[in-house]
Amino acid sequence: MGPDERERLFDRARECSTARESWPEADRLWTHVVAAYREAVRGPGRVDPHDRRQLARALWRHGMLLTALGRAAEGLTPGREAVALFEELNDAARAAAGPQRDETLAELITAMLDLAESAHAAGRPASRMDLLDRAVQVGLHTAGPPPSAGPRTREAMGTAYHNQATALLERARTGPSPDPDARAAALAASRACELRQRLLDPNRPLSLWEMANTYGLYAQCLVVVGEVDRARLVLDLGNRFVAVLGPAGEQPAAKLRAAAAMLAQRQGPSGGGRRRRFSPPW
C-alpha cells in the first residue's frame, strides 16, 4: 500500500470514529490502518518519521475506540504500544524547537491520559493513577514549568492536572487516606485552573467549556478540604462561564451544581461549616 492510500485509509477510519453508529466499521478500518503502517515502518531503507507517527496515532485512536465500544481491557494493548512509540518520537524530537517539539510532547501526554482513562474503564485504578502521574512528570521534565511550555503542551498539561485531580478526588471519597488525597486533588485542580486561565480565548468555545469544567471540579475539591469561602468564589466564576456557554455548558453546569450541593450540605442550616486553611501556590 502506497503513502497516499495509507493516508486515505487513516482519514476514513478517523471519520468513522466520529459517529457512534459507524464505530464497528471504524474498528475494522483501524485494524487495517495499523497493519498498513506496520508494514511501512518495516520496509527496507530509511523509515519515514511520518509513518512512525501515523502508526502511533492509529494505535492510540484504535485503543480509544475500543474503550468507547466497552472493550477497555482490549484497548489497553494498542494504547500501551502507542505510548511507547510516542515516547520514542518525543526522545527523537528533543533537539527540535517550536511547533514540532510542542506537538510531539503534547501527543505523548495526551496518549498517556487516554490510556489512563482506558485503565480506569478496565477497572485498574492503580494503573490509571500511575499513568496520570507519568503524564504530569513527562511534561514537567521535558518542557519545564507548564506556563513556559508551548501552547499544545500547556493544553495537554491542563487536561493532565484536571484528570489527576478527578482521580485523586475519587480516591479521597473511597480510599483509606481521604485527607491527603483531597488536598492533592485540590492542588492539581488549582494548577489546571492556572493553565486553563492562560489559554482562555473567547473565539474558542472549547477553552471556555474546559475552564468551567475545571472550576466545577476545583470547587468540589475545595469543599472537601473545608475551604468554603474559596469554593463559593470558584462556583461564582464557573457559573459565569456556564451562562456564556448556554446549553453547550450542561456538563460543567452539572459539576458546578454538585459542588453547590456539597457546599450547602457542609454549611448546614446555620450557614457555617468547619474550615481548614488550604492555600495552593498556583
Side-chain angles (χ1 to χ4, degrees):
M1 186 181 293
D4 291 343
E5 191 176 357
R6 288 195 297 270
E7 292 292 320
R8 286 193 295 269
L9 187 61
F10 186 102
D11 290 341
R12 280 178 56 205
R14 182 170 54 185
E15 184 177 354
C16 285
S17 298
T18 62
R20 182 181 292 271
E21 60 271 16
S22 59
W23 282 356
E25 174 66 4
D27 181 19
R28 184 186 68 82
L29 288 171
W30 282 124
T31 300
H32 290 306
V33 173
V34 169
Y37 279 102
R38 284 197 197 283
E39 184 64 27
V41 301
R42 278 198 299 260
R46 180 179 177 273
V47 174
D48 186 341
H50 177 72
D51 286 337
R52 286 174 57 79
R53 186 177 301 279
Q54 287 294 82
L55 174 58
R57 288 169 172 166
L59 288 161
W60 167 28
R61 290 177 180 275
H62 195 196
M64 292 167 59
L65 179 70
L66 290 169
T67 299
L69 285 166
R71 295 151 58 189
E74 186 180 344
L76 292 174
T77 299
R80 289 191 189 104
E81 186 178 353
V83 166
L85 282 170
F86 279 125
E87 285 176 326
E88 292 176 6
L89 290 164
N90 184 58
D91 289 341
R94 285 184 183 275
Q100 179 187 349
R101 185 74 189 88
D102 185 32
E103 180 182 24
T104 301
L105 180 55
E107 283 190 318
L108 170 58
I109 294 169
T110 304
M112 285 181 169
L113 298 178
D114 288 336
L115 181 57
E117 294 315 298
S118 293
H120 178 49
R124 302 183 185 184
S127 294
R128 176 199 192 190
M129 191 62 70
D130 177 63
L131 283 159
L132 291 170
D133 291 343
R134 281 176 59 197
V136 168
Q137 291 306 312
V138 75
L140 290 173
H141 291 163
T142 308
S148 65
R152 290 199 57 183
T153 298
R154 279 182 281 138
E155 287 180 18
M157 288 293 286
T159 303
Y161 280 124
H162 178 99
N163 290 7
Q164 187 181 51
T166 299
L168 286 165
L169 184 60
E170 290 175 5
R171 196 168 70 179
R173 289 168 167 165
T174 60
S177 305
D179 193 67
D181 282 341
R183 289 179 174 276
L187 181 58
S190 74
R191 287 172 169 164
C193 285
E194 172 77 9
L195 285 164
R196 289 184 164 176
Q197 284 167 354
R198 293 170 180 264
L199 292 165
L200 282 173
D201 181 353
N203 297 316
R204 196 169 67 90
L206 179 59
S207 70
L208 308 182
W209 189 97
E210 290 178 334
M211 189 75 259
N213 199 42
T214 296
Y215 275 142
L217 172 63
Y218 188 26
Q220 292 182 38
C221 293
L222 290 170
V223 173
V224 171
V225 299
E227 281 286 331
V228 295
D229 290 341
R230 193 187 296 260
R232 277 194 291 267
L233 173 62
V234 172
L235 275 170
D236 181 60
L237 292 171
N239 284 322
R240 293 182 192 181
F241 280 94
V242 164
V244 172
L245 289 165
E250 176 52 32
Q251 184 174 330
K255 203 167 280 187
L256 288 158
R257 288 194 297 269
M262 290 168 60
L263 181 60
Q265 183 178 24
R266 185 177 188 92
Q267 291 176 317
S270 65
R274 184 167 60 93
R275 295 175 57 191
R276 288 176 289 180
R277 180 172 178 79
F278 178 82
S279 300
W282 286 51

